[in-house]
Amino acid sequence: MFVSQPQYEFPFPPDLEQPGSQHWRMVELTLHAPWFLLTVEIFDAEMLDCSMSRTICIAWDYDLAEVLRGLDPETVLGIVCMMPAWASPNGQWSSKEVREVWMCSSPAGQSVLLVDPAGEEFDCGLVPEHVEPLKKDLVLRVAPAKPRRRPHSRRKTPPTGNRRSRRASARKSEA
């Protein structure tokens, strides 16, 4: 789904690079299908109060569900579904925040069901015609974002520019 060319490889400093990884200045989408941005918080093993966020581009809804199953829900900061022009009301690529990810299964097959902050359900378009009994399992529920205070900051007005800091916690349901 994502492809790049050798001329777009970014020369990353070897001391900062993870073994076997490559860095790219530009990637191309090979399909006009929904895809995802998953942002997680990574904590430093030596300094527990130190963390950074990492955003992962994920091509398929099933891959999103699998990645989420292997994560600590508290580290998930947010999920965004990038919707192609054919699935967007404005006829252009758009984004849709994802609050819940569900796996649905029936004798007809499996699918991933997504829920936005307004409670609207949506999917990525390739869903089997489910028949009863339909089983729905919650994979992950992302808590609404809460304003994040900067440590040691006493500023009462926002800094110049349009930078906002926000963090959402994630909780896994017992459902």
Side-chain angles (χ1 to χ4, degrees):
M1 173 117 181
F2 305 107
V3 66
S4 192
Q5 302 297 320
Q7 67 265 28
Y8 301 122
E9 187 169 5
F10 181 76
F12 209 71
D15 291 342
L16 300 176
E17 190 172 63
Q18 291 182 6
S21 65
Q22 293 175 289
H23 299 264
W24 304 96
R25 297 187 333 258
M26 186 183 309
V27 295
E28 177 183 348
L29 293 169
T30 58
L31 296 173
H32 283 255
W35 59 280
F36 302 89
L37 293 165
L38 169 64
T39 303
V40 296
E41 187 171 28
I42 307 295
F43 292 92
D44 187 305
E46 295 176 11
M47 296 187 301
L48 297 178
D49 61 339
C50 183
S51 69
M52 64 180 259
S53 65
R54 177 174 281 164
T55 301
I56 305 158
C57 298
I58 302 174
W60 305 112
D61 52 0
Y62 287 98
D63 291 333
L64 173 68
E66 281 303 309
V67 168
L68 292 174
R69 282 187 176 136
L71 291 177
D72 174 357
E74 296 297 320
T75 65
V76 177
L77 299 178
I79 305 168
V80 174
C81 182
M82 299 303 298
M83 302 298 287
W86 59 264
S88 296
N90 64 2
Q92 296 292 323
W93 279 95
S94 63
S95 63
K96 198 168 195 174
E97 186 178 350
V98 176
R99 283 286 171 82
E100 296 176 2
V101 177
W102 294 80
M103 280 301 297
C104 299
S105 58
S106 75
Q110 289 189 323
S111 65
V112 177
L113 177 69
L114 307 164
V115 180
D116 71 11
E120 298 281 327
E121 295 181 350
F122 66 103
D123 57 58
C124 291
L126 300 172
V127 178
E129 291 290 327
H130 285 296
V131 294
E132 294 297 329
L134 175 65
K135 181 181 176 195
K136 285 175 58 175
D137 293 312
L138 181 65
V139 176
L140 187 106
R141 179 176 289 129
V142 180
K146 296 176 186 166
R148 186 176 180 176
R149 290 187 62 183
R150 288 185 166 174
H152 310 295
S153 175
R154 294 177 187 234
R155 183 179 290 183
K156 294 188 181 193
T157 58
T160 58
N162 192 16
R163 289 186 63 186
R164 292 184 183 179
S165 179
R166 63 179 244 173
R167 178 177 192 270
S169 62
R171 276 183 252 141
K172 199 165 193 175
S173 173
E174 309 261 335

